[in-house]
Amino acid sequence: MSNTVASAAGQARALVGHHYRCAEPFRVERTRIREFARAVQAYHPAHWREAAAARLGFDAVVAPPSFAALIWQQARREILRTLITGYRLDRIVHVDQTLEIGRPLLAGDVLTCDIYFESFRQFHDFDVITINGVLTDQHGMPVQTGSTALLARTTPPEGPHSSVRTRAGFDREPTLAPARRLRRPRTRVDLDRLTVDTDLPTAGTTLTRRDLATYARAVGDLDMPERAASAGQPVIVAPGILVLALTAGYLTSWTGDPAAVTTYRAEFANQVHYLAVPRADAVDIEFSGRVVACDRVRRTATVSLNAISQGRRLFGYASAEVRFPPPAARHTTIEFTP
């Protein structure tokens, strides 16, 4: 292991149990919501027009459900630039992502981002850093949380594999406020007609190199990895969080309400689960979903999600939890074509 990587590992290990507040608040701007929505093919009118957002119960344009991933990515870059130096950014893999949504992000929000360092582990050629994040709005209310594991490729560590778990001593790790209970969902799907194993309609989209460039500009990530495919031609590997964002749009097209989802979970760890876009070509993605649990007391359903491209599954596992209104409170939603 090089001295630089060893130093980075030491820095990461020392951070476990501590938290870091990002230097600058993140301002959610209307133009940035639109830019992100375009990049992830999120075409619900509430992402684009105030009048459509108002019909869903919001006083500003609504960010797509995966918009917070943009903030987490910015925070990770700040951490790797200022706190954990020595890892090569092009050798860090985003292993998984969980998004807990207390309420959707809206144009005009000013968010403080706190990062909590949960654990550090070493396995063979990799260092694994697990971090949790909390977004707090301008009123001091925690509105969304996220957790992720970052896999940094290294040379094999000396000595036995080590693991540092969470220890007591976080300054404060807020829990989400009950914001989700302040608004009834406006889903066009009736929970009482769903059963376990209900299939969602399949849908598809096409992703091009230009789409990847649009996404890179939207999130400020201009270093998407390029590698040689089995046929020898260079390909761009699309970020897993982009695939999750596209899948979130697919789920929104089913629910009709982009604010009805409270949780997304996705695993990107398996090396076969990646989306490769050839230099001159486009790739098709097929989305599908299945209801795996229904809770008629809490008025929620858990949906497993799948995305397939070129015969390859793009997730190790992905799921979402959706909230539904009470039986007497169903709403007619805005129709749109995804």
Side-chain angles (χ1 to χ4, degrees), residues 137-159:
D137 68 12
Q138 60 271 28
H139 307 295
M141 192 73 69
V143 291
Q144 295 195 12
T145 67
S147 64
T148 189
L150 302 177
L151 198 70
R153 187 173 182 85
T154 68
T155 55
E158 298 177 4

Side-chain angles (χ1 to χ4, degrees), residues 1-181:
M1 181 186 298
S2 69
N3 291 334
T4 301
V5 173
S7 174
Q11 292 169 340
R13 184 181 289 108
L15 286 170
V16 173
H18 296 279
H19 108 271
Y20 170 77
R21 173 163 291 180
C22 292
E24 298 292 336
F26 186 95
R27 299 182 180 276
V28 182
E29 299 170 345
R30 185 173 184 263
T31 55
R32 198 155 194 186
I33 289 176
R34 288 183 168 184
E35 182 183 27
F36 185 82
R38 182 177 296 109
V40 301
Q41 303 180 17
Y43 299 123
H44 193 286
H47 304 318
W48 300 84
R49 299 193 297 274
E50 285 80 359
R55 286 194 287 272
L56 288 180
F58 299 104
D59 58 6
V61 171
V62 179
S66 56
F67 186 87
L70 185 158
I71 308 174
W72 305 132
Q73 185 167 354
Q74 178 175 296
R76 288 192 293 271
R77 286 199 297 266
E78 183 173 328
I79 288 168
L80 293 169
R81 185 176 65 249
T82 61
L83 297 182
I84 308 174
T85 58
Y87 292 126
R88 285 177 48 180
L89 296 183
D90 62 349
R91 302 187 76 182
I92 293 180
V93 178
H94 191 187
V95 178
D96 57 28
Q97 181 73 63
T98 298
L99 301 175
E100 296 280 352
I101 303 172
R103 70 160 173 82
L105 303 180
L106 307 174
D109 276 335
V110 180
L111 304 169
T112 301
C113 180
D114 290 282
I115 299 296
Y116 296 81
F117 296 90
E118 184 73 19
S119 68
F120 173 82
R121 291 164 288 168
Q122 291 180 314
F123 296 106
H124 299 289
D125 295 350
F126 298 96
D127 289 353
V128 185
I129 307 161
T130 302
I131 58 177
N132 299 327
V134 178
L135 298 181
T136 304
D137 68 12
Q138 60 271 28
H139 307 295
M141 192 73 69
V143 291
Q144 295 195 12
T145 67
S147 64
T148 189
L150 302 177
L151 198 70
R153 187 173 182 85
T154 68
T155 55
E158 298 177 4
H161 303 161
S162 61
S163 176
V164 179
R165 299 286 179 181
T166 306
R167 64 175 186 262
F170 282 132
D171 297 313
R172 180 178 66 94
E173 187 168 4
T175 56
L176 280 183
R180 64 185 59 171
R181 295 197 293 270

